[in-house]
Structure formats: C-alpha cells, structure tokens
Amino acid sequence: MNPISSLKEAMQKIEHFCAYQERCHDEVVSKLHSMKMDLDEIDQIMVYLIAENFINEERFACSFARGKHRIKQWGRIRIINELKFKKISQTLINTALKEISLEEYLDTFQTIAQRHWETIRETNTLKKRKKFCDYLLRRGFESNLVYDKVKELEIDL
C-alpha cells in the first residue's frame, strides 16, 4: 500500500474503513500502521474516530457476537475466544453474550447437533461419538451440552 501523504487523507480512508463495517480498536490501529502512520498521528486519529462514534468497542462486540452466532452458528466459547483475541475487555464480552438469548442459543445448538449427527457416516459408535463431539467443541459449544446431547442421541439408536 502507498504511504498516505496527509493526515486528512488518512482520516478519510479510515473513516470509510470504519463506516463500511464495525471495527475494533485493534483492527483500526493495524490498518493505520499498514498506512505507514506514526504513533502521534495514530493517537490523534483514534481520538477523532472515538469522539465521532466511528468506533465503539461495545457496539463492535455486540455485533460480532450476534453475527457469529446467527450466521456462522458459533458457540459461546468460540465467540469469547475470538473477542479476547481482538483484545476486547471481559466486561464488554459479557455484555455481548447477553445479545444471544438462551432460547436462541439452545435452539441453534439442537439444530446443529441433530443435523451433524445424521450426516456422520461412521459405523463404529466410538468413532462417531468422537467426530460428533470434536465438531461441536470446535464450534465453541460447552462440553456439558455436547456430552449430554451425544448421550441423548445414542439412546435413540
């Protein structure tokens, strides 16, 4: 990427970057570093973006949690880990998780679990159980939910 010549030009680019999609502080700072901005300019731009409400960590965390659960059907654990990776505070993570109702969460879990159980073409019960559990744990669902569900589904066999 070409180095940005002026602070005004950089602000316009970063405003567009933030307006296009919700961003966290870390993503914006990384983008500014890639634009070859120095630390004083980055601080100045960040203060402006926060003051003008282009970036809002709480709004980002809530949007991220809702989107990843509804669209990618991730569980709470995976959402928490991804938000921590993006350097979001624990308080904001807790606020974001409240965006997902327990009923919606369990409904999604049941749907995914049932669908995945039916698609596993494994005759060995232990291997089938392992594939099922690994899949749901990778999606970020709590282990107690996963193991209770696998017991329930094995009884139905």
Side-chain angles (χ1 to χ4, degrees):
M1 184 176 253
N2 298 334
I4 305 299
S5 57
S6 72
L7 189 63
K8 188 175 183 179
E9 186 182 339
M11 278 191 173
Q12 286 176 337
K13 275 191 177 270
I14 211 70
E15 277 179 11
H16 177 71
F17 180 71
C18 294
Y20 176 73
Q21 167 183 322
E22 285 294 335
R23 308 282 181 180
C24 68
H25 290 233
D26 203 41
E27 291 172 332
V28 175
V29 169
S30 295
K31 180 72 170 176
L32 289 168
H33 279 296
S34 75
M35 293 165 65
K36 309 279 190 265
M37 306 300 289
D38 66 30
L39 292 176
D40 291 337
E41 291 173 327
I42 289 174
D43 289 342
Q44 190 178 350
I45 292 171
M46 290 300 288
V47 167
Y48 167 77
L49 292 173
I50 293 168
E52 295 297 316
N53 210 18
F54 278 100
I55 354 179
N56 181 327
E57 290 275 88
E58 183 176 0
R59 191 175 63 210
F60 168 79
C62 291
S63 170
F64 184 89
R66 272 192 319 270
K68 295 300 180 187
H69 177 70
R70 290 186 184 142
I71 296 167
K72 291 198 171 192
Q73 298 174 324
W74 285 359
R76 286 190 185 118
I77 294 171
R78 177 119 185 233
I79 292 170
I80 290 169
N81 289 339
E82 293 291 327
L83 286 170
K84 282 181 182 175
F85 179 73
K86 292 179 178 292
K87 299 179 182 139
I88 305 296
S89 72
Q90 188 59 49
T91 349
L92 292 178
I93 291 174
N94 294 338
T95 305
L97 290 177
K98 290 177 187 166
E99 293 284 311
I100 305 166
S101 71
L102 183 60
E103 183 181 308
E104 177 187 3
Y105 185 74
L106 293 176
D107 189 44
T108 302
F109 171 74
Q110 297 294 342
T111 306
I112 290 174
Q114 193 66 45
R115 186 180 329 127
H116 191 65
W117 183 260
E118 291 166 2
T119 61
I120 300 173
R121 298 287 168 234
E122 184 65 58
T123 53
N124 184 330
T125 312
L126 288 175
K127 285 183 180 179
K128 183 172 185 170
R129 180 189 303 164
K130 180 170 177 13
K131 285 182 180 184
F132 177 78
C133 292
D134 286 350
Y135 175 78
L136 289 173
L137 291 172
R138 221 177 16 257
R139 297 297 289 260
F141 290 100
E142 293 84 347
S143 56
N144 62 332
L145 282 176
V146 173
Y147 296 131
D148 289 346
K149 187 65 179 178
V150 81
K151 286 177 191 170
E152 176 190 318
L153 291 168
E154 282 180 340
I155 291 170
D156 293 343
L157 284 177

